[in-house]
């Protein structure tokens, strides 16, 4: 039995149902789960590990709902810097297919470490190119080395160029092999229990890279085994044209025919949707992952996040793959979720809200995305999207997943009238401490679970080889 005491935090943001924020407070942890969240004076006075959080803010760990960690090998590639999604993908598919299992390991560790330093304690990853001996197992092992909570998708592509898909034929797999490997991974690794450090998700890549059959069969297998489903949807108007041309349906209608509108499904991006589709997501419990940096970087558009929230749609935040961001910093993403919602609010119809009232009008007050709402979708929202009741807030019985930020920095100076909002309004800071399941992953801003310097060196070597 091990205990952890985190005490003396200037403020604790619980994100519990009452959204309580406690001054001079902390929490007490036993065996990876929170036992008490309270003012410091009410907490036990000792524990196996004690963190003194004087001058720091303590928040629930952020939950990342969309990423492609392997893309850490191809950040900022010149050939893919100034294009939208389809040419960007065409420039990268083959490069990704050449990565090795060793490269996949370093990419996973670096990406998860970068996420952790930005406050992320649970990370979802969506890898979908499995060539050259690469397996999801490589990434699962790497995530264990670092120690963050991991939700790993067995992604897939089965519709090559010769069959009318976007990816080259040498980047796709046979459907039987995909489904067999999906089943193997679920049986070998998926842990559905409270406090699970590893879950498996099935995630055929997109409507233009997998067949309808694989979408249906993946859904059947996922439901039979009790795992969730994920894919990219409504990311670009090119995708919409693709499904209209091939299936005479908009992307959401097409996915509905495949059994993919349900509360065990969430979509990355979900930008180009109409009001009926938003309502459908809300009614069915279908979730979305908002990826603001990627959407701006690839000129994809602005997701209607406030409208989703108004209609009760589950919304989380994701950094998206590191070839379209090119950072794995979830605090940056949280900030951009707030800013981008405000930009959308200021646009005129049809891109903006259906009103000509000025943004300062009292009737439009509810449209403002606040800093606290942005933090909420990055924590509680992400937990809902991933179907996790054990993370996303700091409450007794939940996983001891949290991070702290030092408030006495240049970047927060003058903003401490509201330290909680400062976390989103001011420049994103590096986490001081990160704790996952009661275990210290980041200690005073540095990765504590492994020696990261040699991994960075090795990762750069792999990246350089890949683009030759
Ligand atoms: Zn993506």
């Amino acid at each position: 039995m091990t205990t952890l005491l985190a005490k003396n935090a200037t403020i604790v943001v619980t994100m519990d149902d009452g959204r309580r924020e406690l001054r001079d407070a902390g929490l007490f942890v036993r065996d990876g789960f929170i036992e008490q969240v309270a003012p410091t004076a009410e907490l036990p006075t000792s524990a196996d590990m004690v963190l003194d959080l004087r001058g720091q803010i303590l928040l629930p760990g952020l939950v990342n709902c969309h990423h492609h960690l392997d893309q850490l090998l191809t950040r900022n590639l010149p050939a893919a810097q100034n294009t939208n999604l389809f040419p960007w993908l065409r420039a990268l598919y083959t490069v990704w297919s050449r990565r090795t299992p060793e490269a996949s390991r370093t990419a996973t560790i670096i990406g998860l470490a970068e996420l952790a330093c930005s406050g992320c304690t649970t990370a979802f990853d969506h890898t979908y190119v499995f060539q050259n001996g690469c397996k999801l197992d490589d990434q699962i092992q790497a995530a264990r080395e670092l120690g963050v909570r991991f939700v790993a998708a067995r992604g897939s592509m089965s519709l090559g160029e010769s069959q009318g898909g976007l990816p080259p034929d040498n980047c796709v797999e046979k459907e039987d092999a995909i489904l067999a490997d999906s089943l193997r991974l679920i049986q070998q690794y998926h842990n559905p229990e409270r406090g699970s450090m590893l879950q498996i998700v099935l995630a055929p890549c997109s409507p233009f890279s997998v067949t309808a059959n694989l979408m249906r069969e993946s859904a059947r297998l996922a439901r039979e085994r009790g795992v969730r489903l994920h894919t990219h949807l409504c990311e670009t108007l090119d995708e919409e044209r693709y499904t209209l041309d091939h299936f005479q349906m908009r992307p959401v209608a097409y996915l509905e025919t495949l059994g993919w509108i349900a509360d065990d499904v969430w979509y990355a991006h979900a930008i180009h949707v109409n009001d009926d589709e938003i309502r459908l997501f809300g009614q069915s419990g279908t979730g979305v992952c908002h990826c603001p940096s990627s959407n701006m970087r690839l000129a994809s558009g602005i997701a209607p996040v406030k409208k989703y929230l108004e209609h009760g749609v589950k919304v989380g935040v994701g950094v998206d793959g590191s070839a379209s961001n090119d950072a794995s910093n979830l605090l940056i993403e949280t900030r951009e979720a707030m800013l981008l919602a405000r930009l959308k609010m200021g646009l005129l119809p049809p891109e903006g809200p259906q009103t000509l009232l000025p943004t300062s009008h009292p009737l439009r007050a509810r449209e403002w995305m606040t800093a606290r709402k942005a933090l909420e979708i990055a924590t509680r929202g992400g937990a809902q999207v991933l179907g996790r009741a054990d993370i996303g807030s700091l409450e007794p019985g939940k996983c001891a997943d949290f991070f702290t930020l030092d408030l006495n920095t240049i970047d927060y100076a003058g903003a401490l009238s509201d330290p909680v909002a400062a976390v989103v309004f001011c420049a994103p800071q590096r986490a001081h401490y990160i704790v996952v399941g009661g275990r210290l992953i980041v200690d005073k801003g540095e990765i504590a679970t492994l020696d990261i310097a040699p991994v960075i060196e090795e990762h750069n070597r792999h990246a350089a080889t890949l683009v030759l």
Side-chain angles (χ1 to χ4, degrees):
M1 201 177 279
T2 58
T3 55
L4 180 151
L5 171 67
K7 63 176 187 178
N8 296 329
T10 303
I11 189 160
V12 172
V13 180
T14 67
M15 280 295 164
D16 63 8
D17 290 346
R19 306 294 189 273
R20 289 181 308 144
E21 294 171 3
L22 309 176
R23 293 263 165 188
D24 189 11
L27 44 84
F28 186 77
V29 173
R30 192 183 302 274
D31 291 337
F33 294 97
I34 297 169
E35 206 167 83
Q36 202 182 345
V37 183
T40 301
E42 296 170 23
L43 291 168
T45 52
S46 64
D48 298 327
M49 179 165 61
V50 178
L51 300 176
D52 191 335
L53 306 180
R54 227 171 284 265
Q56 294 173 53
I57 181 170
L58 189 163
L59 300 118
L62 305 180
V63 179
N64 185 52
C65 296
H66 188 66
H67 203 340
H68 311 283
L69 288 161
D70 276 325
Q71 294 181 13
L72 266 285
L73 292 156
T74 54
R75 293 208 242 216
N76 180 38
L77 216 59
Q81 280 175 359
N82 306 307
T83 60
N84 73 357
L85 184 70
F86 279 17
W88 176 90
L89 281 167
R90 283 198 196 95
L92 288 161
Y93 279 134
T94 310
V95 184
W96 293 331
S97 75
R98 292 202 303 263
R99 81 185 188 285
T100 60
E102 296 75 27
S104 186
R105 172 185 168 268
T106 61
T108 304
I109 291 175
I110 297 292
L112 292 177
E114 191 182 7
L115 275 172
C117 289
S118 74
C120 173
T121 52
T122 297
F124 167 73
D125 184 66
H126 183 185
T127 293
Y128 52 82
V129 186
F130 290 102
Q131 304 292 330
N132 213 14
C134 286
K135 287 195 161 78
L136 196 60
D137 309 63
D138 310 325
Q139 293 185 277
I140 287 171
Q141 294 309 330
R144 279 183 179 153
E145 283 185 61
L146 191 77
V148 298
R149 219 173 280 287
F150 197 40
V151 181
R154 201 318 178 171
S156 54
M157 298 199 297
S158 65
L159 190 68
E161 241 169 346
S162 63
Q163 306 297 314
L166 192 73
D169 288 355
N170 62 5
C171 290
V172 306
E173 297 172 88
K174 294 223 170 2
E175 300 196 351
D176 286 352
I178 291 167
L179 292 165
D181 195 42
S182 300
L183 176 60
R184 175 188 70 82
L185 290 159
I186 295 169
Q187 287 176 327
Q188 194 170 339
Y189 295 112
H190 182 69
N191 173 5
E193 284 166 18
R194 183 176 78 109
S196 169
M197 288 296 290
L198 176 62
Q199 297 195 332
I200 302 291
V201 166
L202 299 190
C205 188
S206 63
F208 49 85
S209 62
V210 301
T211 65
N213 180 58
L214 185 62
M215 294 296 287
R216 267 194 222 100
E217 287 302 306
S218 297
R220 188 190 53 74
L221 178 60
R223 286 172 184 144
E224 193 180 288
R225 299 281 161 176
V227 304
R228 295 177 90 72
L229 290 161
H230 176 67
T231 193
H232 296 92
L233 203 73
C234 302
E235 181 174 0
T236 64
L237 293 173
D238 287 340
E239 175 202 311
E240 188 175 302
R241 270 188 288 276
Y242 183 93
T243 64
L244 286 170
D245 284 354
H246 287 77
F247 313 111
Q248 295 71 53
M249 281 180 272
R250 291 171 55 76
V252 173
Y254 171 54
L255 272 276
E256 195 176 13
T257 66
L258 304 173
W260 273 68
I261 299 293
D263 66 359
D264 56 359
V265 175
W266 85 99
Y267 295 126
H269 308 297
I271 297 166
H272 301 285
V273 288
N274 61 34
D275 288 359
D276 289 341
E277 292 162 345
I278 292 174
R279 268 190 290 276
L280 183 64
F281 287 178
Q283 286 156 5
S284 59
T286 308
V288 303
C289 175
H290 181 39
C291 305
S293 289
S294 170
N295 298 163
M296 289 190 273
R297 206 282 204 180
L298 296 174
S300 302
I302 306 177
V305 173
K306 281 295 284 185
K307 223 172 195 179
Y308 279 135
L309 294 172
E310 275 168 32
H311 286 82
V313 178
K314 294 180 282 194
V315 179
V317 180
V319 295
D320 200 6
S322 260
S324 67
N325 184 323
D326 302 59
S328 303
N329 187 312
L330 205 46
L331 214 42
I332 288 181
E333 232 52 39
T334 305
R335 182 171 194 265
E336 285 176 352
M338 177 182 79
L339 297 179
L340 204 53
R342 293 175 178 213
L343 175 60
K344 190 169 183 65
M345 181 187 173
L347 298 176
L348 296 175
E351 286 83 7
Q354 302 297 311
T355 177
L356 293 174
L357 290 174
T359 49
S360 59
H361 196 283
L363 283 175
R364 300 195 62 187
R366 283 174 52 248
E367 286 178 48
W368 287 85
M369 174 71 94
T370 66
R372 282 174 173 77
K373 186 53 93 175
L375 280 173
E376 187 181 310
I377 61 175
T379 53
R380 287 177 69 102
Q384 277 186 332
V385 164
L386 297 184
R388 299 286 298 247
D390 57 346
I391 57 172
S393 61
L394 302 177
E395 299 174 72
K398 296 227 174 182
C399 296
D401 291 7
F402 62 88
F403 73 108
T404 73
L405 297 162
D406 189 350
L407 291 170
N408 299 304
T409 60
I410 292 172
D411 312 77
Y412 289 155
L416 298 180
S417 53
D418 185 354
V420 179
V423 169
V424 184
F425 273 100
C426 298
Q429 302 291 292
R430 194 179 173 104
H432 191 82
Y433 292 122
I434 282 269
V435 171
V436 180
R439 182 179 177 215
L440 198 59
I441 305 296
V442 172
D443 185 6
K444 299 187 182 72
E446 301 300 330
I447 297 294
T449 46
L450 51 83
D451 186 3
I452 199 75
V455 186
I456 296 173
E457 212 180 291
E458 197 190 330
H459 178 73
N460 280 328
R461 257 199 324 271
H462 289 308
T465 315
L466 209 54
V467 295
L468 283 180

